[in-house]
Amino acid sequence: MIFALGALPLGLLVFGFPIFIVLLLASTVALGGFMSMPMTAIHQNLFGSLNVNGLLAVPFFILAGELMSRGTVSFRLVQFVRSLVGGLPGALGVTTVGTATVFGAISGSSAAAVASVGKVMHPAMTEDRYPATFSAGMVTSVSAIGIIIPPSIPMIVYGASSETSIPRLYAAGVLPGLLLALALAVYIMARAGMDGFGSRQRPDLATILSATGRAVWALGAPVIVLGGIYGGVFSPTEAAAVACAYSILVTRFVFAELSWADILDCAVQTVLFTSQILVIVAAAGLFAWLLTVNQVPQTIVAWISGMEISAWQFLIVINLLLLVWGCFMDPLSAILLLTPVLVPVVDALDIDKVHFGIIMTLNLAIGLFTPPFGINIFVAQSVLGMKTTDIYRGVFPFFAVFLLVLVLVTFVPAVALTSMDLFMFD
Amino acid sequence: GFAADYVMKISSPAPLTEVDPLSAWMTAFEAGVEEASGGRIDVQLYPSSQLGPIPATVEGVVMGTIEMAMPAIGFLTGIDPRFQVLDAVGLFDDEHHALKTLTDPKVRTLLSEFGADAGVEPLFVLTSGQANIVSRKKIATPADLQGLKMRTGGATSLVNEPLEAFGVSPVALPLGDVLPGIQTGTIDAATINMPVSVGFKFADVASESVYVPGKFGIIGGIVSKQFLATVGPELEAVIREQAVKANDAYEAKLDSGPKALEGAWVKMGGTLNEMSAADTESFRGGMVKVVEEVVAKDAQMQADYDVLKAAAGEH
Amino acid sequence: MCGKVDRFAQGVLVLLGLMLLAMVALSVWNVVSRYVFSTSLLWADEIAVFGMIVMGWLGAIVVAWRRMDIRMSVVSDLLPEGAQRWVMVAQQLTTVILCGWVAWLSWGYVARLLKFGMTSDGARIPIWTVHICITVSLAFMSLIALVRLVQTLRAFRLSPRRHGARGAKPEVVK
Ligand code: NA
Ligand code: NA
């Protein structure tokens, strides 16, 4: 069983087997060879893991990103942000962090953010002489902010299975999310300053005004999406569809830069990207289901709680467990699997469940871009057309920055709890 | 353990708690079956949708990958539309009345036919609390429902038309989106139940709550017939006996459970509004009238409804 | 033959692209109708999710045909080309057997859904019509890998220095 669910997939993975085949083969071998379970579980989970409402935002946001970057919408947005922060070292990198943060406030899905932010920012940074691995690592990792800044699908799932208030979790995510953005921006500025890449332009009022003027329609996209969600006009998933419709409207009619054929072509590209990712999500769901029915999470947690440790020791152990777990599993499945077994221990140690929810989300956000199974890496590979090894190398320093923030948020509960008190409107 | 001959995985979307009657059913059933089968059946409980989203677990029972699932009745209409009739408002006065009716031999016989075409049968049909509406604005009379965008929790006429008769516009939203939906105003209200209201801490954003007279959450605990055949007649009998026995543990929490939830609801800042007797009567009567119109459109549903109604009248 | 298949694959993609645009339209329409007419389509989300599932699985056939599947190439890039060729054979053979077998299992599942007449909870459409795209997708993945396998093995025989010889370039099929 350990062979089927552990050694076999790792072996095939490094030999370049498609990820989908690796996961499917491991699950099939485990089911057929080691378990008394009907083989119908395979099809059932391949279907069931995709039959989830929240996943709809993925193709919709990828399409919106495709439409915006095919036309000039994204370019105008970038020019606008750049006119404001252009004086800083690493201005485009800081712009990327800013865009990812805004995107995070729009969407609960990180994969979609990598696609749209990566599509726009990576070429712009390459043109501005950023090292390709550095900017690839950046777009792959910074988009993970999206599941810490509300709205966040993983937090909804955590709230539901731990009986924690979702608005409180959302509120508690704001400061840690902004803290992350700040830490990443500082790191990027330092790197750009030391290694001397990226251009700087002193911001002046005339440039800002003209960039703003050219970006008015483009700025409508985040305004409509954010206003629509927080104004109660539509749900986050519907917001993704509205973003597509708005992009079509602007690129086709206002700027008249895309023909209907171009729009269809954007849709076709989106189908390809989405398919690459969805089959992996499906097979990963099957894999996660097998871990559950083999009671793997229960076994691990029983082992941890048998160690009789204090709250802060527990948090260290849990952070390590979640970091490793996140390397192999998407946040949603991980939260579904681990929350019910962890929460009793958390309660017993008197750790705040909102605080713990933020720790868990932050850990699994890191898992989004750590090898081998980080979905953001797959998306970046597909969108940027780069080698996995180069993306791994690029991601590493950003991983360190995330880790720093994770340690801070874990051992200074005040960060999450102050955020909760500050942003709990009502 | 590893010595068991059979594993019976039970999936439930709800978390396992101390106060909830259905949780009590699950733990009593687990202990009962494991003991009475002499350890030959290992019952494994998977609360909180650990085995996947509800539709996938229902399919899992039909296909034999999960032995039992406990979804709300709305998720069973895909395998047999006859389950719909259990959503009829006004059949039961309270949960004790519902328990007596749903375990009545005539009703058990009727229910045991449900799902037969898909190779499943309900091992039990029980209530999961009285339905309540949560909202930001106080709802204390049926007239307060006029014009509300409400998540009703189902797509069938039997769920929606009785509320539409009072001016509600039904909206479909997955359960996870309901709370943020009310917070931002995408919807004005939601029909849910107390375990969900308390579990998700709805009081943070929608502190007004009112029970819907005569409307209960109905849970169908479906098992695969194939599984019952596989374990053999002796163990099948054990499973059926223990399912009936577990009803005692369920019944024991039927008063304390909802009371505890109401207390928790008020403690977290929620308000529990009460409709006047006259309003309750007109609300319930108005919904039942629509229910009977909907039921009359379908001969099979009418026949099933008549059996349920007759049994409810006897208890 | 490859030209024809390419055109067919492009046709499938265009159809799926149109479907995606229709899904966007349906979701937007649901928002509008909720605000303007105070009614919403209770089955819209379900249909959109089914659309996404169909799109994902059928699109994956084209992904496989165009060799766009996501993989990690850490170790295999470092191997000598002869060994890479053997890895390719192993991959294609695995894919032929695995996807073929799972497609067969999946067909059994779909057949049972068909027999039980299961419908979706919202729109009440027969659910097998959505499930079968998984069967079709896996069957095509197996078939595509089979074609590739035959081509790889042929290239082995044609290559002047035989199996595993250094410097023998694996044939690029496309
Ligand atoms: Na977010
Ligand atoms: Na057990």
Side-chain angles (χ1 to χ4, degrees):
Chain A
M1 187 55 93
I2 292 171
F3 166 77
L5 294 178
L8 177 68
L10 281 178
L12 296 179
L13 207 61
V14 294
F15 279 103
F17 279 53
I19 314 271
F20 165 70
I21 296 292
V22 172
L23 290 167
L24 186 62
L25 185 67
S27 308
T28 311
V29 169
L31 255 176
F34 301 90
M35 296 170 66
S36 56
M37 181 89 62
M39 298 301 282
T40 41
I42 299 177
H43 176 105
Q44 187 202 320
N45 282 288
L46 288 180
F47 184 88
S49 356
L50 296 187
N51 194 7
V52 178
N53 213 282
L55 275 179
L56 257 184
V58 174
F60 286 172
F61 273 122
I62 292 181
L63 176 59
E66 189 77 27
L67 287 162
M68 291 186 198
S69 52
R70 183 78 59 104
T72 57
V73 175
S74 297
F75 177 74
R76 289 166 197 253
L77 273 177
V78 171
Q79 289 301 313
F80 168 72
V81 181
R82 209 176 169 183
S83 75
L84 298 178
V85 300
L88 301 170
L92 271 183
V94 176
T95 307
T96 307
V97 175
T99 318
T101 310
V102 172
F103 216 94
I106 298 173
S107 119
S109 147
S110 172
V114 179
S116 19
V117 175
K119 250 187 144 35
V120 182
M121 296 309 301
H122 190 257
M125 285 191 280
T126 307
E127 202 170 296
D128 205 21
R129 299 190 331 276
Y130 281 61
T133 47
F134 180 74
S135 60
M138 191 195 308
V139 295
T140 309
S141 55
V142 298
S143 303
I145 295 180
I147 67 167
I148 300 154
I149 301 242
S152 158
I153 300 170
M155 280 188 200
I156 294 178
V157 177
Y158 172 83
S161 58
S162 67
E163 307 196 5
T164 311
S165 154
I166 294 161
R168 276 172 203 278
L169 283 167
Y170 276 8
V174 177
L175 275 189
L178 293 178
L179 195 65
L180 252 181
L182 183 70
L184 290 165
V186 168
Y187 169 69
I188 290 166
M189 288 192 290
R191 266 294 293 273
M194 282 187 313
D195 297 357
F197 53 75
S199 59
R200 292 166 73 164
Q201 43 193 215
R202 192 176 284 283
D204 64 279
L205 195 61
T207 322
I208 293 179
L209 285 180
S210 86
T212 312
R214 270 177 289 144
V216 166
W217 279 99
L219 282 170
V223 169
I224 285 184
V225 168
L226 284 178
I229 293 178
Y230 293 102
V233 186
F234 34 72
S235 71
T237 309
E238 290 169 334
V242 171
C244 292
Y246 182 79
S247 312
I248 292 176
L249 196 80
V250 171
T251 50
R252 177 70 190 88
F253 297 108
V254 180
F255 299 151
E257 53 194 10
L258 295 192
S259 65
W260 287 116
D262 291 331
I263 291 170
L264 181 59
D265 191 51
C266 288
V268 163
Q269 289 306 320
T270 306
V271 170
L272 279 174
F273 286 143
T274 315
S275 302
Q276 284 177 307
I277 295 157
L278 286 186
V279 288
I280 296 180
V281 174
L286 168 62
F287 192 75
W289 191 85
L290 284 173
L291 290 181
T292 314
V293 297
N294 282 302
Q295 311 214 306
V296 173
Q298 286 87 339
T299 313
I300 294 177
V301 172
W303 176 68
I304 292 175
S305 42
M307 294 194 294
E308 299 197 4
I309 47 181
S310 66
W312 69 270
Q313 286 168 324
F314 169 77
L315 286 177
I316 292 179
V317 175
I318 286 301
N319 273 320
L320 292 173
L321 170 76
L322 289 174
L323 282 174
V324 173
W325 200 275
C327 292
F328 293 93
M329 194 173 281
D330 68 291
L332 279 194
S333 309
I335 285 178
L336 274 175
L337 287 182
L338 293 175
T339 310
V341 283
L342 282 177
V343 160
V345 189
V346 170
D347 277 340
L349 291 172
D350 219 17
I351 297 168
D352 188 287
K353 277 197 289 188
V354 172
H355 179 213
F356 188 71
I358 301 299
I359 295 175
M360 200 151 167
T361 314
L362 201 46
N363 267 295
L364 298 169
I366 294 174
L368 285 169
F369 60 85
T370 45
F373 290 113
I375 190 89
N376 285 10
I377 295 179
F378 305 149
V379 179
Q381 200 189 341
S382 147
V383 173
L384 311 181
M386 289 178 65
K387 275 194 174 177
T388 342
T389 14
D390 291 337
I391 299 181
Y392 289 167
R393 267 195 294 144
V395 155
F396 187 75
F398 293 96
F399 170 73
V401 176
F402 269 80
L403 213 53
L404 205 67
V405 175
L406 172 65
V407 171
L408 189 73
V409 170
T410 303
F411 295 107
V412 188
V415 177
L417 298 179
T418 311
S419 182
M420 181 177 86
D421 293 338
L422 277 178
F423 296 96
M424 249 326 268
F425 42 100
D426 283 286
Chain B
F2 289 96
D5 298 337
Y6 304 99
V7 173
M8 185 173 186
K9 298 185 290 304
I10 305 182
S11 164
S12 164
L16 212 53
T17 72
E18 290 291 322
V19 296
D20 164 45
L22 281 166
S23 294
W25 189 97
M26 287 168 76
T27 38
F29 181 76
E30 178 185 21
V33 169
E34 288 183 350
E35 204 201 306
S37 70
R40 280 151 71 200
I41 300 181
D42 174 14
V43 176
Q44 296 176 354
L45 305 182
Y46 294 93
S48 305
S49 284
Q50 286 176 61
L51 286 183
I54 304 173
T57 60
V58 171
E59 238 175 69
V61 175
V62 174
M63 294 299 165
T65 52
I66 296 173
E67 288 70 30
M68 181 170 179
M70 302 172 44
I73 230 72
F75 290 96
L76 296 173
T77 57
I79 57 175
D80 189 345
R82 285 178 75 184
F83 278 109
Q84 275 180 66
V85 69
L86 290 158
D87 268 332
V89 180
L91 278 172
F92 315 121
D93 301 327
D94 57 44
E95 293 196 85
H96 289 284
H97 181 219
L99 178 63
K100 286 199 195 88
T101 309
L102 290 167
T103 50
D104 179 294
K106 287 190 293 294
V107 173
R108 281 297 314 159
T109 310
L110 175 83
L111 294 176
S112 69
E113 299 165 12
F114 288 17
D117 287 344
V120 305
E121 88 169 66
L123 197 54
F124 69 71
V125 173
L126 293 170
T127 54
S128 61
Q130 185 167 1
N132 66 319
I133 298 174
V134 289
S135 56
R136 280 171 181 275
K137 250 179 41 200
K138 180 173 174 174
I139 298 171
T141 69
D144 295 335
L145 294 169
Q146 192 64 42
L148 294 188
K149 288 193 292 278
M150 185 191 290
R151 189 258 189 188
T152 54
T156 60
S157 317
L158 214 45
V159 172
N160 291 306
E161 287 184 20
L163 288 166
E164 282 175 284
F166 288 89
V168 166
S169 314
V171 175
L173 272 189
L175 190 55
D177 285 354
V178 173
L179 194 136
I182 294 185
Q183 188 178 26
T184 60
T186 313
I187 52 172
D188 305 307
T191 309
I192 47 179
N193 58 23
M194 278 314 252
V196 173
S197 312
V198 172
F200 278 83
K201 302 202 168 37
F202 265 81
D204 283 346
V205 296
S207 60
E208 301 288 340
S209 170
V210 65
Y211 280 121
V212 186
K215 188 175 168 77
F216 297 87
I218 313 275
I219 303 294
I222 53 162
V223 282
S224 142
K225 291 192 171 179
Q226 169 99 53
F227 172 68
L228 294 178
T230 309
V231 299
E234 189 196 332
L235 290 180
E236 178 182 344
V238 166
I239 290 174
R240 290 186 186 281
E241 277 158 25
Q242 294 303 321
V244 175
K245 251 201 173 146
N247 285 345
D248 296 341
Y250 166 88
E251 193 177 10
K253 300 261 177 170
L254 218 38
D255 293 316
S256 60
K259 271 278 157 316
L261 289 169
E262 285 167 13
W265 173 254
V266 171
K267 207 175 138 213
M268 59 180 62
T271 319
L272 196 54
N273 299 306
E274 248 181 271
M275 284 195 188
S276 70
D279 280 336
T280 305
E281 205 36 55
S282 79
F283 190 15
R284 180 169 165 164
M287 287 192 293
V288 169
K289 189 166 150 277
V290 180
V291 162
E292 299 197 331
E293 283 164 18
V294 173
V295 165
K297 287 179 194 153
D298 180 333
Q300 175 74 63
M301 200 189 284
Q302 180 75 60
D304 295 343
Y305 181 75
D306 290 342
V307 174
L308 283 164
K309 208 178 165 190
E314 284 170 26
H315 290 286
Chain C
M1 189 199 93
C2 280
K4 264 189 200 153
V5 178
D6 282 338
R7 275 197 302 279
F8 179 73
Q10 185 61 28
V12 170
L13 276 185
V14 169
L15 280 181
L16 295 176
L18 287 170
M19 200 174 84
L20 173 61
L21 293 175
M23 283 155 56
V24 170
L26 180 65
S27 293
V28 173
W29 171 251
N30 215 15
V31 174
V32 173
S33 87
R34 190 166 62 230
Y35 277 85
V36 182
F37 310 109
S38 277
T39 59
S40 64
L41 307 170
L42 295 176
W43 44 263
D45 275 358
E46 187 185 88
I47 291 294
V49 171
F50 286 169
M52 174 188 71
I53 294 174
V54 170
M55 190 183 91
W57 283 103
L58 296 186
I61 303 174
V62 184
V63 168
W65 176 250
R66 295 192 181 170
R67 294 171 186 274
M68 289 171 67
D69 11 32
I70 296 175
R71 57 183 83 216
M72 293 184 3
S73 44
V74 193
V75 172
S76 54
D77 283 354
L78 307 174
L79 294 175
E81 285 183 14
Q84 280 191 20
R85 210 185 240 184
W86 280 109
V87 170
M88 254 168 76
V89 170
Q91 272 183 28
Q92 286 153 354
L93 192 63
T94 309
T95 308
V96 173
I97 297 170
L98 177 70
C99 290
W101 189 42
V102 178
W104 173 248
L105 292 169
S106 161
W107 168 247
Y109 196 98
V110 172
R112 285 179 75 180
L113 288 176
L114 188 59
K115 195 180 107 202
F116 295 144
M118 282 177 71
T119 59
S120 68
D121 298 321
R124 311 218 68 91
I125 56 170
I127 195 126
W128 68 269
T129 54
V130 188
H131 279 258
I132 199 165
C133 64
I134 299 183
T135 321
V136 172
S137 181
L138 290 165
F140 271 100
M141 284 182 198
S142 174
L143 196 66
I144 290 169
L146 184 65
V147 173
R148 296 262 154 79
L149 181 64
V150 171
Q151 284 170 335
T152 314
L153 291 175
R154 248 194 221 145
F156 260 117
R157 251 197 319 189
L158 296 177
S159 128
R161 272 172 281 172
R162 296 183 70 112
H163 347 276
R166 262 179 182 277
K169 269 208 160 39
E171 191 194 29
V172 177
V173 187
K174 169 113 190 245

